[in-house]
PDB file of all heavy atoms in Angstrom:
ATOM      1  N   ALA A 108     121.086  66.392  84.397  1.00  0.00           N
ATOM      2  CA  ALA A 108     121.913  67.128  83.452  1.00  0.00           C
ATOM      3  C   ALA A 108     123.357  67.097  83.911  1.00  0.00           C
ATOM      4  O   ALA A 108     123.646  67.332  85.081  1.00  0.00           O
ATOM      5  CB  ALA A 108     121.421  68.565  83.355  1.00  0.00           C
ATOM      6  N   PRO A 109     124.321  66.803  83.027  1.00  0.00           N
ATOM      7  CA  PRO A 109     125.711  66.692  83.442  1.00  0.00           C
ATOM      8  C   PRO A 109     126.261  68.024  83.920  1.00  0.00           C
ATOM      9  O   PRO A 109     125.936  69.080  83.398  1.00  0.00           O
ATOM     10  CB  PRO A 109     126.428  66.221  82.167  1.00  0.00           C
ATOM     11  CG  PRO A 109     125.537  66.647  81.046  1.00  0.00           C
ATOM     12  CD  PRO A 109     124.138  66.561  81.585  1.00  0.00           C
ATOM     13  N   ALA A 110     127.106  67.938  84.950  1.00  0.00           N
ATOM     14  CA  ALA A 110     127.766  69.129  85.460  1.00  0.00           C
ATOM     15  C   ALA A 110     129.207  69.141  84.990  1.00  0.00           C
ATOM     16  O   ALA A 110     129.715  68.174  84.431  1.00  0.00           O
ATOM     17  CB  ALA A 110     127.712  69.139  86.984  1.00  0.00           C
ATOM     18  N   ALA A 111     129.892  70.242  85.200  1.00  0.00           N
ATOM     19  CA  ALA A 111     131.276  70.355  84.768  1.00  0.00           C
ATOM     20  C   ALA A 111     132.151  69.393  85.569  1.00  0.00           C
ATOM     21  O   ALA A 111     131.931  69.174  86.751  1.00  0.00           O
ATOM     22  CB  ALA A 111     131.773  71.785  84.963  1.00  0.00           C
ATOM     23  N   GLU A 112     133.169  68.827  84.908  1.00  0.00           N
ATOM     24  CA  GLU A 112     134.095  67.911  85.565  1.00  0.00           C
ATOM     25  C   GLU A 112     135.143  68.730  86.307  1.00  0.00           C
ATOM     26  O   GLU A 112     136.099  69.230  85.726  1.00  0.00           O
ATOM     27  CB  GLU A 112     134.752  67.000  84.533  1.00  0.00           C
ATOM     28  CG  GLU A 112     135.752  66.007  85.116  1.00  0.00           C
ATOM     29  CD  GLU A 112     135.038  64.919  85.894  1.00  0.00           C
ATOM     30  OE1 GLU A 112     134.088  64.339  85.366  1.00  0.00           O
ATOM     31  OE2 GLU A 112     135.450  64.668  87.027  1.00  0.00           O
ATOM     32  N   THR A 113     134.951  68.924  87.596  1.00  0.00           N
ATOM     33  CA  THR A 113     135.878  69.712  88.396  1.00  0.00           C
ATOM     34  C   THR A 113     136.126  69.000  89.717  1.00  0.00           C
ATOM     35  O   THR A 113     135.287  68.246  90.192  1.00  0.00           O
ATOM     36  CB  THR A 113     135.312  71.112  88.706  1.00  0.00           C
ATOM     37  OG1 THR A 113     134.053  70.966  89.370  1.00  0.00           O
ATOM     38  CG2 THR A 113     135.125  71.912  87.423  1.00  0.00           C
ATOM     39  N   PRO A 114     137.298  69.227  90.319  1.00  0.00           N
ATOM     40  CA  PRO A 114     137.543  68.649  91.649  1.00  0.00           C
ATOM     41  C   PRO A 114     136.545  69.185  92.658  1.00  0.00           C
ATOM     42  O   PRO A 114     135.980  70.270  92.491  1.00  0.00           O
ATOM     43  CB  PRO A 114     138.969  69.108  91.973  1.00  0.00           C
ATOM     44  CG  PRO A 114     139.567  69.516  90.666  1.00  0.00           C
ATOM     45  CD  PRO A 114     138.433  69.998  89.822  1.00  0.00           C
ATOM     46  N   LEU A 115     136.332  68.429  93.726  1.00  0.00           N
ATOM     47  CA  LEU A 115     135.473  68.913  94.781  1.00  0.00           C
ATOM     48  C   LEU A 115     136.146  70.111  95.456  1.00  0.00           C
ATOM     49  O   LEU A 115     137.365  70.166  95.562  1.00  0.00           O
ATOM     50  CB  LEU A 115     135.224  67.812  95.804  1.00  0.00           C
ATOM     51  CG  LEU A 115     134.533  66.557  95.261  1.00  0.00           C
ATOM     52  CD1 LEU A 115     134.335  65.548  96.378  1.00  0.00           C
ATOM     53  CD2 LEU A 115     133.200  66.894  94.625  1.00  0.00           C
ATOM     54  N   PRO A 116     135.371  71.074  95.903  1.00  0.00           N
ATOM     55  CA  PRO A 116     135.975  72.252  96.548  1.00  0.00           C
ATOM     56  C   PRO A 116     136.654  71.876  97.852  1.00  0.00           C
ATOM     57  O   PRO A 116     136.276  70.923  98.513  1.00  0.00           O
ATOM     58  CB  PRO A 116     134.770  73.164  96.803  1.00  0.00           C
ATOM     59  CG  PRO A 116     133.607  72.225  96.886  1.00  0.00           C
ATOM     60  CD  PRO A 116     133.907  71.128  95.900  1.00  0.00           C
ATOM     61  N   THR A 117     137.674  72.613  98.217  1.00  0.00           N
ATOM     62  CA  THR A 117     138.351  72.380  99.479  1.00  0.00           C
ATOM     63  C   THR A 117     138.438  73.673 100.265  1.00  0.00           C
ATOM     64  O   THR A 117     138.657  74.733  99.704  1.00  0.00           O
ATOM     65  CB  THR A 117     139.762  71.792  99.276  1.00  0.00           C
ATOM     66  OG1 THR A 117     140.348  71.548 100.548  1.00  0.00           O
ATOM     67  CG2 THR A 117     140.654  72.725  98.488  1.00  0.00           C
ATOM     68  N   GLY A 118     138.221  73.591 101.568  1.00  0.00           N
ATOM     69  CA  GLY A 118     138.311  74.754 102.417  1.00  0.00           C
ATOM     70  C   GLY A 118     139.430  74.566 103.428  1.00  0.00           C
ATOM     71  O   GLY A 118     140.523  74.129 103.101  1.00  0.00           O
ATOM     72  N   ALA A 119     139.162  74.898 104.686  1.00  0.00           N
ATOM     73  CA  ALA A 119     140.113  74.694 105.766  1.00  0.00           C
ATOM     74  C   ALA A 119     139.537  73.619 106.673  1.00  0.00           C
ATOM     75  O   ALA A 119     138.879  73.926 107.670  1.00  0.00           O
ATOM     76  CB  ALA A 119     140.354  75.990 106.519  1.00  0.00           C
ATOM     77  N   PRO A 120     139.728  72.350 106.357  1.00  0.00           N
ATOM     78  CA  PRO A 120     139.062  71.284 107.098  1.00  0.00           C
ATOM     79  C   PRO A 120     139.651  71.061 108.483  1.00  0.00           C
ATOM     80  O   PRO A 120     140.800  71.410 108.763  1.00  0.00           O
ATOM     81  CB  PRO A 120     139.293  70.056 106.211  1.00  0.00           C
ATOM     82  CG  PRO A 120     140.584  70.345 105.520  1.00  0.00           C
ATOM     83  CD  PRO A 120     140.582  71.831 105.270  1.00  0.00           C
ATOM     84  N   VAL A 121     138.854  70.456 109.343  1.00  0.00           N
ATOM     85  CA  VAL A 121     139.327  69.985 110.645  1.00  0.00           C
ATOM     86  C   VAL A 121     140.037  68.652 110.431  1.00  0.00           C
ATOM     87  O   VAL A 121     139.493  67.747 109.788  1.00  0.00           O
ATOM     88  CB  VAL A 121     138.148  69.811 111.625  1.00  0.00           C
ATOM     89  CG1 VAL A 121     138.637  69.239 112.944  1.00  0.00           C
ATOM     90  CG2 VAL A 121     137.432  71.138 111.837  1.00  0.00           C
ATOM     91  N   VAL A 122     141.244  68.525 110.943  1.00  0.00           N
ATOM     92  CA  VAL A 122     142.053  67.320 110.777  1.00  0.00           C
ATOM     93  C   VAL A 122     141.852  66.411 111.982  1.00  0.00           C
ATOM     94  O   VAL A 122     142.071  66.821 113.122  1.00  0.00           O
ATOM     95  CB  VAL A 122     143.542  67.675 110.620  1.00  0.00           C
ATOM     96  CG1 VAL A 122     144.375  66.405 110.462  1.00  0.00           C
ATOM     97  CG2 VAL A 122     143.751  68.608 109.435  1.00  0.00           C
ATOM     98  N   ILE A 123     141.436  65.184 111.735  1.00  0.00           N
ATOM     99  CA  ILE A 123     141.161  64.222 112.797  1.00  0.00           C
ATOM    100  C   ILE A 123     142.080  63.017 112.610  1.00  0.00           C
ATOM    101  O   ILE A 123     141.932  62.254 111.650  1.00  0.00           O
ATOM    102  CB  ILE A 123     139.688  63.777 112.777  1.00  0.00           C
ATOM    103  CG1 ILE A 123     138.782  64.997 112.954  1.00  0.00           C
ATOM    104  CG2 ILE A 123     139.415  62.735 113.857  1.00  0.00           C
ATOM    105  CD1 ILE A 123     137.352  64.751 112.571  1.00  0.00           C
ATOM    106  N   PRO A 124     143.056  62.812 113.496  1.00  0.00           N
ATOM    107  CA  PRO A 124     143.957  61.657 113.360  1.00  0.00           C
ATOM    108  C   PRO A 124     143.227  60.355 113.666  1.00  0.00           C
ATOM    109  O   PRO A 124     142.408  60.283 114.580  1.00  0.00           O
ATOM    110  CB  PRO A 124     145.049  61.935 114.399  1.00  0.00           C
ATOM    111  CG  PRO A 124     144.368  62.794 115.431  1.00  0.00           C
ATOM    112  CD  PRO A 124     143.370  63.635 114.689  1.00  0.00           C
ATOM    113  N   LEU A 125     143.540  59.329 112.889  1.00  0.00           N
ATOM    114  CA  LEU A 125     142.920  58.027 113.056  1.00  0.00           C
ATOM    115  C   LEU A 125     143.929  57.010 113.582  1.00  0.00           C
ATOM    116  O   LEU A 125     145.118  57.091 113.297  1.00  0.00           O
ATOM    117  CB  LEU A 125     142.351  57.518 111.725  1.00  0.00           C
ATOM    118  CG  LEU A 125     141.357  58.417 110.988  1.00  0.00           C
ATOM    119  CD1 LEU A 125     140.881  57.729 109.715  1.00  0.00           C
ATOM    120  CD2 LEU A 125     140.186  58.785 111.878  1.00  0.00           C
ATOM    121  N   LYS A 126     143.421  56.050 114.342  1.00  0.00           N
ATOM    122  CA  LYS A 126     144.190  54.881 114.737  1.00  0.00           C
ATOM    123  C   LYS A 126     143.634  53.677 113.985  1.00  0.00           C
ATOM    124  O   LYS A 126     142.440  53.622 113.678  1.00  0.00           O
ATOM    125  CB  LYS A 126     144.086  54.642 116.242  1.00  0.00           C
ATOM    126  CG  LYS A 126     144.649  55.763 117.113  1.00  0.00           C
ATOM    127  CD  LYS A 126     144.439  55.439 118.589  1.00  0.00           C
ATOM    128  CE  LYS A 126     144.937  56.551 119.482  1.00  0.00           C
ATOM    129  NZ  LYS A 126     144.676  56.253 120.917  1.00  0.00           N
ATOM    130  N   THR A 127     144.503  52.713 113.705  1.00  0.00           N
ATOM    131  CA  THR A 127     144.044  51.502 113.045  1.00  0.00           C
ATOM    132  C   THR A 127     144.064  50.332 114.019  1.00  0.00           C
ATOM    133  O   THR A 127     144.938  50.262 114.890  1.00  0.00           O
ATOM    134  CB  THR A 127     144.902  51.155 111.819  1.00  0.00           C
ATOM    135  OG1 THR A 127     144.396  49.966 111.201  1.00  0.00           O
ATOM    136  CG2 THR A 127     146.348  50.938 112.189  1.00  0.00           C
ATOM    137  N   ILE A 128     143.100  49.462 113.896  1.00  0.00           N
ATOM    138  CA  ILE A 128     143.067  48.212 114.659  1.00  0.00           C
ATOM    139  C   ILE A 128     143.473  47.108 113.701  1.00  0.00           C
ATOM    140  O   ILE A 128     142.667  46.600 112.923  1.00  0.00           O
ATOM    141  CB  ILE A 128     141.670  47.940 115.245  1.00  0.00           C
ATOM    142  CG1 ILE A 128     141.211  49.126 116.107  1.00  0.00           C
ATOM    143  CG2 ILE A 128     141.681  46.660 116.062  1.00  0.00           C
ATOM    144  CD1 ILE A 128     139.795  48.994 116.620  1.00  0.00           C
ATOM    145  N   SER A 129     144.793  46.803 113.674  1.00  0.00           N
ATOM    146  CA  SER A 129     145.338  45.730 112.826  1.00  0.00           C
ATOM    147  C   SER A 129     144.977  45.912 111.360  1.00  0.00           C
ATOM    148  O   SER A 129     144.739  44.930 110.646  1.00  0.00           O
ATOM    149  CB  SER A 129     144.862  44.360 113.327  1.00  0.00           C
ATOM    150  OG  SER A 129     145.274  44.150 114.657  1.00  0.00           O
ATOM    151  N   GLN A 130     144.929  47.158 110.875  1.00  0.00           N
ATOM    152  CA  GLN A 130     144.652  47.461 109.470  1.00  0.00           C
ATOM    153  C   GLN A 130     143.286  46.964 109.016  1.00  0.00           C
ATOM    154  O   GLN A 130     143.065  46.764 107.814  1.00  0.00           O
ATOM    155  CB  GLN A 130     145.747  46.877 108.569  1.00  0.00           C
ATOM    156  CG  GLN A 130     147.128  47.388 108.890  1.00  0.00           C
ATOM    157  CD  GLN A 130     148.218  46.748 108.061  1.00  0.00           C
ATOM    158  OE1 GLN A 130     149.300  46.472 108.530  1.00  0.00           O
ATOM    159  NE2 GLN A 130     147.924  46.510 106.807  1.00  0.00           N
ATOM    160  N   ILE A 131     142.367  46.790 109.949  1.00  0.00           N
ATOM    161  CA  ILE A 131     141.045  46.275 109.623  1.00  0.00           C
ATOM    162  C   ILE A 131     139.961  47.301 109.923  1.00  0.00           C
ATOM    163  O   ILE A 131     139.038  47.508 109.140  1.00  0.00           O
ATOM    164  CB  ILE A 131     140.758  44.969 110.397  1.00  0.00           C
ATOM    165  CG1 ILE A 131     141.687  43.865 109.922  1.00  0.00           C
ATOM    166  CG2 ILE A 131     139.320  44.550 110.238  1.00  0.00           C
ATOM    167  CD1 ILE A 131     141.457  43.419 108.493  1.00  0.00           C
ATOM    168  N   SER A 132     140.055  47.973 111.074  1.00  0.00           N
ATOM    169  CA  SER A 132     139.094  48.996 111.463  1.00  0.00           C
ATOM    170  C   SER A 132     139.846  50.262 111.854  1.00  0.00           C
ATOM    171  O   SER A 132     141.041  50.219 112.172  1.00  0.00           O
ATOM    172  CB  SER A 132     138.238  48.522 112.642  1.00  0.00           C
ATOM    173  OG  SER A 132     137.438  47.415 112.288  1.00  0.00           O
ATOM    174  N   TYR A 133     139.120  51.387 111.842  1.00  0.00           N
ATOM    175  CA  TYR A 133     139.741  52.673 112.140  1.00  0.00           C
ATOM    176  C   TYR A 133     138.924  53.413 113.190  1.00  0.00           C
ATOM    177  O   TYR A 133     137.693  53.442 113.140  1.00  0.00           O
ATOM    178  CB  TYR A 133     139.866  53.511 110.869  1.00  0.00           C
ATOM    179  CG  TYR A 133     140.872  52.925 109.913  1.00  0.00           C
ATOM    180  CD1 TYR A 133     140.509  51.906 109.033  1.00  0.00           C
ATOM    181  CD2 TYR A 133     142.194  53.347 109.921  1.00  0.00           C
ATOM    182  CE1 TYR A 133     141.443  51.337 108.178  1.00  0.00           C
ATOM    183  CE2 TYR A 133     143.139  52.788 109.066  1.00  0.00           C
ATOM    184  CZ  TYR A 133     142.754  51.779 108.203  1.00  0.00           C
ATOM    185  OH  TYR A 133     143.681  51.208 107.369  1.00  0.00           O
ATOM    186  N   THR A 134     139.637  54.014 114.162  1.00  0.00           N
ATOM    187  CA  THR A 134     138.991  54.741 115.232  1.00  0.00           C
ATOM    188  C   THR A 134     139.457  56.188 115.246  1.00  0.00           C
ATOM    189  O   THR A 134     140.547  56.521 114.758  1.00  0.00           O
ATOM    190  CB  THR A 134     139.289  54.120 116.613  1.00  0.00           C
ATOM    191  OG1 THR A 134     140.690  54.274 116.909  1.00  0.00           O
ATOM    192  CG2 THR A 134     138.909  52.648 116.636  1.00  0.00           C
ATOM    193  N   GLY A 135     138.617  57.052 115.833  1.00  0.00           N
ATOM    194  CA  GLY A 135     138.947  58.454 115.985  1.00  0.00           C
ATOM    195  C   GLY A 135     138.658  58.908 117.403  1.00  0.00           C
ATOM    196  O   GLY A 135     137.897  58.263 118.133  1.00  0.00           O
ATOM    197  N   PRO A 136     139.263  60.038 117.821  1.00  0.00           N
ATOM    198  CA  PRO A 136     139.086  60.531 119.191  1.00  0.00           C
ATOM    199  C   PRO A 136     137.779  61.303 119.353  1.00  0.00           C
ATOM    200  O   PRO A 136     137.492  62.232 118.601  1.00  0.00           O
ATOM    201  CB  PRO A 136     140.295  61.460 119.375  1.00  0.00           C
ATOM    202  CG  PRO A 136     140.585  61.973 117.989  1.00  0.00           C
ATOM    203  CD  PRO A 136     140.221  60.858 117.051  1.00  0.00           C
ATOM    204  N   LEU A 137     137.003  60.922 120.345  1.00  0.00           N
ATOM    205  CA  LEU A 137     135.700  61.541 120.589  1.00  0.00           C
ATOM    206  C   LEU A 137     135.637  62.017 122.030  1.00  0.00           C
ATOM    207  O   LEU A 137     136.265  61.424 122.917  1.00  0.00           O
ATOM    208  CB  LEU A 137     134.579  60.530 120.335  1.00  0.00           C
ATOM    209  CG  LEU A 137     133.162  61.082 120.160  1.00  0.00           C
ATOM    210  CD1 LEU A 137     133.017  61.748 118.801  1.00  0.00           C
ATOM    211  CD2 LEU A 137     132.126  59.975 120.326  1.00  0.00           C
ATOM    212  N   GLN A 138     134.888  63.074 122.257  1.00  0.00           N
ATOM    213  CA  GLN A 138     134.549  63.493 123.610  1.00  0.00           C
ATOM    214  C   GLN A 138     133.036  63.574 123.716  1.00  0.00           C
ATOM    215  O   GLN A 138     132.396  64.269 122.933  1.00  0.00           O
ATOM    216  CB  GLN A 138     135.165  64.850 123.950  1.00  0.00           C
ATOM    217  CG  GLN A 138     136.671  64.810 124.097  1.00  0.00           C
ATOM    218  CD  GLN A 138     137.220  66.077 124.716  1.00  0.00           C
ATOM    219  OE1 GLN A 138     136.816  66.469 125.806  1.00  0.00           O
ATOM    220  NE2 GLN A 138     138.138  66.711 124.009  1.00  0.00           N
ATOM    221  N   THR A 139     132.492  62.825 124.652  1.00  0.00           N
ATOM    222  CA  THR A 139     131.049  62.815 124.902  1.00  0.00           C
ATOM    223  C   THR A 139     130.811  63.395 126.285  1.00  0.00           C
ATOM    224  O   THR A 139     131.283  62.835 127.280  1.00  0.00           O
ATOM    225  CB  THR A 139     130.496  61.381 124.827  1.00  0.00           C
ATOM    226  OG1 THR A 139     130.948  60.755 123.625  1.00  0.00           O
ATOM    227  CG2 THR A 139     128.974  61.399 124.844  1.00  0.00           C
ATOM    228  N   GLY A 140     130.133  64.532 126.333  1.00  0.00           N
ATOM    229  CA  GLY A 140     129.971  65.203 127.608  1.00  0.00           C
ATOM    230  C   GLY A 140     131.302  65.582 128.230  1.00  0.00           C
ATOM    231  O   GLY A 140     131.446  65.593 129.449  1.00  0.00           O
ATOM    232  N   GLY A 141     132.308  65.871 127.377  1.00  0.00           N
ATOM    233  CA  GLY A 141     133.637  66.231 127.859  1.00  0.00           C
ATOM    234  C   GLY A 141     134.499  65.058 128.244  1.00  0.00           C
ATOM    235  O   GLY A 141     135.641  65.259 128.689  1.00  0.00           O
ATOM    236  N   GLN A 142     134.011  63.826 128.079  1.00  0.00           N
ATOM    237  CA  GLN A 142     134.755  62.621 128.450  1.00  0.00           C
ATOM    238  C   GLN A 142     135.306  61.950 127.199  1.00  0.00           C
ATOM    239  O   GLN A 142     134.594  61.785 126.203  1.00  0.00           O
ATOM    240  CB  GLN A 142     133.841  61.664 129.211  1.00  0.00           C
ATOM    241  CG  GLN A 142     133.217  62.286 130.463  1.00  0.00           C
ATOM    242  CD  GLN A 142     132.063  61.462 130.991  1.00  0.00           C
ATOM    243  OE1 GLN A 142     132.183  60.258 131.210  1.00  0.00           O
ATOM    244  NE2 GLN A 142     130.923  62.109 131.208  1.00  0.00           N
TER     245      GLN A 142
END
């Protein structure tokens, strides 16, 4: 059944800066076990 056409809800998101590898791939900062 069709739903109303509305934008997706927005809250207070966590902002994660990305790096690009020659405009082909994208990486983000991770910590695994604090590393």
Side-chain angles (χ1 to χ4, degrees):
E112 180 72 49
T113 57
L115 299 180
T117 182
V121 176
V122 179
I123 301 164
L125 305 181
K126 297 178 182 178
T127 181
I128 304 175
S129 301
Q130 301 176 218
I131 294 293
S132 296
Y133 291 84
T134 66
L137 197 74
Q138 290 192 56
T139 310
Q142 303 165 52

